[in-house]
Amino acid sequence: MNFHSYPATYLGPISLKVEDLDRSLTFYKEIIGFQGEKLSEKKAYLSVDGKTPFLILEQPDDVTAKQPRTTGLYHFAILLPNRKELGKFLLHLLQKQYPIQGASDHLVSEAIYFADPDGNGIEVYRDRPAEKWSWKGQQVEMATVPMDAEGVLAEANNEAWMGLPIGTVLGHIHLHVSDLQESEKFYCEALGFDLVSKYGHQAYFLSSNRYHHHIGMNTWNGVGAPAPDENSVGLKWFSIVYPTLAARNNAVENLKNLGAEVSEQDGVVLTKDPSGTNIQLWFQNK
């Protein structure tokens, strides 16, 4: 199954706004295990392989701290290739004594949760094999139960952590939104994702190609929550990669029909979801 490459619609790089670029660059290299370098005094890029951008960090002028009770990033999720790598990463976090906010088994995956120095949420996880996921029609079964941390750590077999392994991808992004139904219409009817799971009336999960979710959304910051200020810490933009130019063009037409904001810059289509989150629409050259 290809969930994070052609022919799926999947997530590309994301950009975060941070208060202190040097502090964040150190965190993402030493704690998460990215390779990275500064592009300027206020901008840096991080990758897994030293070539392909995964995360862009920017320090805005007059930057302010992360604002509570707003829309935008809940967390972005780094998908490791297997359970052994998750065990090695968990052992690394414990050895570094970095604060862990949670560790959950979601039936389809096992996940560790924490935050960067600015409070941007991060999930690091591994998927169970897709053939073990339970589907009821168009809905995938997910839950939140305690992760078997001892079992995950045992998989590491005390092997040394060497940073993010090749094959690590951006698995999904989870957003605070102001209205679930309005957001579902935008992401499903316009951008082409499928609603595959609901967590009560407060969280929806959307995917392409029958993944458990590429996009999560919730109203845990309140229905009608405002967008954050332009220069506050948080998500600057995230990108969606379509399998073909035709697929992206179709999404653009859907966005226009929906009355959404659409523009183009250097060949990249820019839009904004109903909660004010900036999105870039890319396509994969095949």
Side-chain angles (χ1 to χ4, degrees):
M1 286 284 196
N2 293 320
F3 299 123
H4 308 287
S5 61
Y6 182 91
T9 298
Y10 58 97
L11 301 183
I14 67 172
S15 179
L16 294 179
K17 294 173 285 185
V18 299
E19 279 196 272
D20 185 321
L21 185 63
D22 289 329
R23 179 182 68 177
S24 293
L25 195 54
T26 298
F27 165 82
Y28 280 101
K29 291 170 73 173
E30 295 184 2
I31 301 298
I32 304 297
F34 281 110
Q35 300 181 48
E37 62 184 55
K38 277 187 172 182
L39 297 174
S40 67
E41 282 304 303
K42 294 292 183 74
K43 190 172 184 178
Y45 88 93
L46 297 147
S47 70
V48 174
D49 59 7
K51 298 177 293 184
T52 310
F54 187 116
L55 179 61
I56 294 93
L57 302 176
E58 296 192 44
Q59 181 182 324
D61 295 328
D62 302 318
V63 63
T64 60
K66 185 175 177 66
Q67 292 177 277
R69 312 296 290 177
T70 58
T71 60
L73 185 69
Y74 177 51
H75 64 242
F76 69 93
I78 300 167
L79 174 59
L80 299 176
N82 52 56
R83 198 181 197 218
K84 182 175 186 176
E85 291 296 341
L86 184 64
K88 288 162 65 175
F89 182 77
L90 176 56
L91 182 59
H92 160 69
L93 282 188
L94 295 172
Q95 289 171 339
K96 287 284 188 179
Q97 297 185 318
Y98 195 82
I100 297 172
Q101 297 173 338
S104 299
D105 185 329
H106 296 300
L107 306 184
V108 295
S109 63
E110 292 177 301
I112 305 163
Y113 297 93
F114 52 100
D116 76 1
D118 290 291
N120 292 309
I122 304 170
E123 173 183 342
V124 174
Y125 74 112
R126 72 98 183 184
D127 277 336
R128 286 194 168 87
E131 57 268 21
K132 294 187 177 180
W133 304 347
S134 177
W135 288 84
K136 294 180 179 178
Q138 302 303 310
Q139 299 287 295
V140 65
E141 184 181 1
M142 293 196 290
T144 299
V145 296
M147 188 181 81
D148 175 14
E150 289 186 4
V152 170
L153 287 170
E155 291 280 343
N157 200 27
N158 289 318
E159 286 190 25
W161 177 82
M162 302 294 288
L164 293 173
I166 298 300
T168 299
V169 297
L170 180 63
H172 64 266
I173 194 165
H174 195 145
L175 304 169
H176 290 295
V177 299
S178 56
D179 185 282
L180 279 178
Q181 286 71 39
E182 192 177 28
S183 298
E184 178 195 355
K185 187 173 185 179
F186 176 86
Y187 284 99
C188 294
E189 291 186 18
L191 297 187
F193 289 92
D194 299 313
L195 177 63
V196 294
S197 185
K198 290 184 177 182
Y199 186 80
H201 298 292
Q202 293 186 319
Y204 288 177
F205 299 91
L206 317 174
S207 80
S208 156
N209 214 30
R210 282 176 75 86
Y211 189 50
H212 56 71
H213 68 295
H214 290 99
I215 298 172
M217 54 181 66
N218 69 68
T219 52
W220 297 331
N221 274 351
V223 173
D229 293 340
E230 185 66 29
N231 62 337
S232 73
V233 158
L235 183 65
K236 183 171 185 179
W237 53 261
F238 75 97
S239 61
I240 297 171
V241 184
Y242 287 88
T244 62
L245 176 59
R248 190 188 71 171
N249 288 345
N250 184 61
V252 170
E253 286 305 308
N254 292 339
L255 286 167
K256 290 177 179 177
N257 291 337
L258 203 61
E261 181 179 319
V262 184
S263 62
E264 188 170 329
Q265 184 176 326
D266 300 326
V268 175
V269 172
L270 310 176
T271 189
K272 190 173 287 195
D273 79 3
S275 302
T277 297
N278 293 305
I279 306 167
Q280 298 190 0
L281 304 185
W282 300 14
F283 68 94
Q284 184 169 333
N285 286 307
K286 294 297 290 181

